[in-house]
Amino acid sequence: MHMSRLRALASRMLTASARCLLAFLALGCFTMIASPLHAAPVLGAHTLLAHGEGLGVSPTVTDPIDTQPGSTLLLMNGGYASNADTPSDNYGNRFKSLQRAVAFGNGYDRFNVSSYIVIGAKGGQGHRLTFAKRGEPKGEISVPFIEIRGGVVKDIAQTYAEPGLQVTSGKVTTTGPALLLAFWWGDGGVKRMTAEPGDGFAIVDSFLKLPDESGVQCAVASRSVDAAGTYSVTWTGAPVQGAILWLIAFQAPPGTPDVPPSVARAH
């Protein structure tokens, strides 16, 4: 009887050990095959230059911001098409056109919005942009200047929305964590307006109360997403007007070290 009990106990212990070993191996395999995530880009320093009609100067210089070396720099220039020259900065970066300029409708065809970008930029304290306004030196101009840390362009949607209290951007698709930047450029001949983004976006900078001399209305919003997906943004504003819209997705560049899933969830 005593030996029989010992044999039964030993059998149960071996069975339990085998189960623990199998569970351990399964957990290890799950950990090995779990997809790591790239760190999401983050919104860095930013500013918005805005001069009303007749109040501008040439060259136009933005307020300084403190950027980090290696960041992506994005800017847009809304104003007279004759003033849409490629900008320069005080760090010697070479800006390239992101997309073709988009002309305003609604009788404002002398105006457009152009976009420029630098990837892996040189940067530091007191970072400024300079625009030479060759066509209309005193003309109105609005320039959002934005730093994206740890990200490059993944997808872009550019649309020109018909007039409405709500206008919706095109869609962008991401394959992982991303920073989304949305731009709203109203085309109405008004001096006071609202433009509020939905869908989880928050305003970054805006110029929605224009001087009596007029100006180029603009709003910028951002959203961080932690998963792959397809995204858009709907703006609600008054009075009713059309708008040039951009939605740009930024993701970590290829070769960025992966973040383990547990670390990604913890943040």
Side-chain angles (χ1 to χ4, degrees):
M1 287 290 294
H2 182 67
M3 292 299 295
S4 176
R5 289 177 180 176
L6 286 176
R7 291 191 186 97
L9 178 61
S11 177
R12 287 196 295 271
M13 291 177 65
L14 287 172
T15 301
S17 297
R19 289 174 179 171
C20 288
L21 178 60
L22 288 173
F24 176 79
L25 291 174
L27 178 62
C29 291
F30 175 78
T31 302
M32 290 177 64
I33 64 174
S35 299
L37 301 174
H38 290 305
V42 297
L43 179 67
H46 53 88
T47 187
L48 173 58
L49 176 149
H51 290 165
E53 180 63 27
L55 305 177
V57 295
S58 182
T60 290
V61 183
T62 64
D63 288 337
I65 59 175
D66 295 337
T67 59
Q68 293 184 357
S71 293
T72 293
L73 303 178
L74 172 68
L75 65 104
M76 294 196 178
N77 178 355
Y80 285 93
S82 58
N83 288 339
D85 286 350
T86 302
S88 60
D89 68 5
N90 56 334
Y91 278 88
N93 290 299
R94 299 183 64 181
F95 289 85
K96 295 183 179 180
S97 177
L98 178 63
Q99 286 195 314
R100 299 180 66 175
V102 180
F104 279 97
N106 199 26
Y108 294 100
D109 55 328
R110 294 178 62 201
F111 295 81
N112 68 10
V113 181
S114 52
S115 55
Y116 303 92
I117 195 168
V118 173
I119 297 172
K122 292 171 281 189
Q125 294 184 343
H127 203 149
R128 294 179 175 88
L129 292 178
T130 299
F131 287 87
K133 296 167 68 180
R134 295 187 299 172
E136 298 286 343
K138 295 184 178 181
E140 59 194 79
I141 187 172
S142 293
V143 178
F145 174 29
I146 302 171
E147 176 195 21
I148 299 93
R149 296 175 180 172
V152 296
V153 174
K154 176 64 177 178
D155 198 8
I156 305 175
Q158 191 284 309
T159 55
Y160 200 138
E162 293 293 326
L165 285 175
Q166 289 191 322
V167 293
T168 301
S169 74
K171 297 179 179 180
V172 295
T173 298
T174 70
T175 56
L179 174 68
L180 310 179
L181 289 179
F183 297 82
W184 175 96
W185 299 86
D187 69 359
V190 294
K191 305 290 179 62
R192 299 289 188 273
M193 70 290 300
T194 60
E196 293 293 335
D199 305 292
F201 283 78
I203 288 288
V204 173
D205 286 308
S206 65
F207 181 51
L208 302 175
K209 294 182 179 180
L210 311 186
D212 292 338
E213 295 81 4
S214 186
V216 183
Q217 48 186 303
C218 172
V220 184
S222 70
R223 177 188 175 188
S224 293
V225 297
D226 58 8
T230 298
Y231 303 93
S232 62
V233 56
T234 295
W235 295 82
T236 301
V240 170
Q241 58 180 316
I244 298 173
L245 304 176
W246 262 277
L247 182 58
I248 307 174
F250 294 86
Q251 288 189 219
T256 301
D258 293 327
V259 178
S262 60
V263 175
R265 286 194 296 269
H267 290 80

